[in-house]
Amino acid sequence: MSQPVGDIGLIGLAVMGFTVVAYNRTTSKVDAFLANEAKGTKIQGAHSVEELVSKLKRPRKIILLVKAGPAVDDFIRQLEPHLEKGDIIIDGGNSHYPDTIRRSKELESKGLLFVGSGVSGGEEGARYGPSLMPGGSPAAWPAIKEIFQATAAQVNGEPCCDWVGEGGAGHYVKMVHNGIEYGDMQLIAEAYDILKRGLGLHEDEIADIFNNWNKGVLDSFLIEITANILKFKDDDGEPLVPKILDQAGQKGTGKWTAIAALDAGMPVTLIGEAVFARCLSSLKEERIRASKVIAGPQKEAFKGDKKQFIDDLEQALYASKIISYTQGFMLMRQTAKDLGWTLNYAGIARMWRGGCIIKSVFLGDIAAAYQKNSNLESLLFDDFFNKAAHKAQPGWRRIIAQAVLWGIPTPAFSTALAFFDGYRSEVVPANLLQAQRDYFGAHTFRVVPGKENTKLKLGEDIHINWTGRGGNVSASSYSA
Ligand code: 6PG
């Protein structure tokens, strides 16, 4: 066998730089890849895992770009016997982070290194550089840093890639990225619905609005592609979008984020609503039946100032986006605390500035906020975002109020505003919830400091005999 030449091995076929040795389970795909996409490049092929490993320089670095789930474990098992101490397996799929934590531990115990890397960017990312979010065995980072940072998209000369943290941190951050992607998409869809069903605009007019928004605070990949999508015509010259069945698919990463939020006890409501909106969309047959028997409000033509309304909608979208990212970063902060990760929030925002689906100018502002204060409790405490949310507030409220009157659902816009109003409330009605819990189940409550008396003692779990019938036995654990 000749001298190893490969800097990195690739399992599953995608596009990369450097001397790549590529292997695919269906070996005819390797040959087709070498004859086409990889023609004239330094990319080499391998027809077996063994050959792949033999062609790589040490420490060997092998990226798996295969479907998340059992296929990852399967390839790890195939690779293991051929690898030596210090070799690195990198999983570049959308793996669920608990799997990545498990795989890191297992491989580290065998002297191998494991990296679970978030990779975002779709086809465009593959061509012009993706956003890469690697995490896992820290010892692997120096060995892969150069290749990763050179392969990633660059923004202002900075790579959209940095070390995220230990264990499953990279895949966790990619999961939150995807959840935020769901949220951004849902917000855009709601804005489209308001413009279409509310104002009665044509797709071309809506595309122009999105194109304008793309020059301001909403400047982002998703706004840009939405304008292009709305302009796209079918062969009959009509916009294609209304011909697409309104049932959204999902592969599960948004759902994972919502579940992670529930597990962490963090109110990541916008991503949750975005996932549920996809679920509701998929109940198509049932919605058709419901539409025949459930009437909404009488449709009234819009009589206000259209220009003002469209500006308000831009602000509503912007403010809701601020809330969504606020929630996403709160979730990452809580999980980092729970799992003992040290996450660099400015770095994460920088990784998302380019290459990925949620790339935007806005992420530069988030990076700046965390750069100023890495301990920021939430983005709403940052001056820039605090002012932006205040400025957006009147328009944001007007849009939601109008949508409610029209009967147009805005789950993402509305939950964002509800979070904003809840978060800024010194007092929320959880006092009444506590009273109810104590009334029906003796679950106890605590007293507001300053309101204590002989019965209501500060810091104690109190149970009141609300009806005069119950006993004095209270449930044992107090949970705030
Ligand atoms: C990316 C995307 C990608 C994701 C798709 C589809 O960052 O490139 O997040 O990883 O799989 O967007 O996701 P759904 O099928 O769940 O919408």
Side-chain angles (χ1 to χ4, degrees), residues 93-94 118-123 125 130-131 133 174-175 177-179 181-182 185 248-255 278 355-358:
N94 266 332
V119 178
S120 175
E123 282 178 37
S131 163
M133 299 150 242
K174 173 65 199 329
M175 177 192 78
H177 163 284
N178 279 28
E181 171 185 306
Y182 275 50
M185 291 167 73
Q250 49 180 319
K251 293 196 204 73
T253 46
K255 183 177 91 176
R278 290 196 190 193
C356 62
I357 308 296
I358 63 170

Side-chain angles (χ1 to χ4, degrees), residues 90-106:
I90 303 154
D91 171 17
N94 266 332
S95 290
H96 198 198
Y97 76 96
D99 288 335
T100 307
I101 295 177
R102 168 180 59 79
R103 290 170 185 142
S104 301
K105 278 195 194 134
E106 277 168 17

Side-chain angles (χ1 to χ4, degrees), residues 321-322 325-327 329-330 362 365-366 369-370 376-386 423:
K321 199 171 148 114
I322 292 174
Y325 286 68
T326 296
Q327 295 180 342
F329 277 79
M330 283 168 73
F362 176 77
D365 298 326
I366 297 183
Y370 282 105
L376 207 55
E377 279 173 284
S378 89
L379 282 175
L380 294 171
F381 284 109
D382 174 72
D383 263 3
F384 176 86
F385 285 109
N386 186 288
Y423 193 66

Side-chain angles (χ1 to χ4, degrees), residues 56-130:
L56 294 172
K57 297 184 213 157
R58 296 198 55 201
R60 301 180 183 91
K61 307 164 201 75
I62 298 161
I63 304 192
L64 306 174
L65 292 177
V66 299
K67 195 171 183 293
V72 178
D73 291 306
D74 195 40
F75 274 111
I76 291 175
R77 266 194 301 276
Q78 287 185 49
L79 281 165
E80 262 183 85
H82 307 288
L83 298 181
E84 292 164 279
K85 209 169 169 351
D87 285 348
I88 305 163
I89 299 180
I90 303 154
D91 171 17
N94 266 332
S95 290
H96 198 198
Y97 76 96
D99 288 335
T100 307
I101 295 177
R102 168 180 59 79
R103 290 170 185 142
S104 301
K105 278 195 194 134
E106 277 168 17
L107 289 170
E108 279 170 15
S109 74
K110 294 172 184 165
L112 296 173
L113 302 177
F114 186 69
V115 173
S117 181
V119 178
S120 175
E123 282 178 37
E124 195 167 331
R127 214 157 288 144
Y128 305 109

Side-chain angles (χ1 to χ4, degrees), residues 43 47 70 104 206 216 284 476:
I43 299 180
H47 292 82
S104 301
I206 303 175
K284 178 72 180 177
S476 55

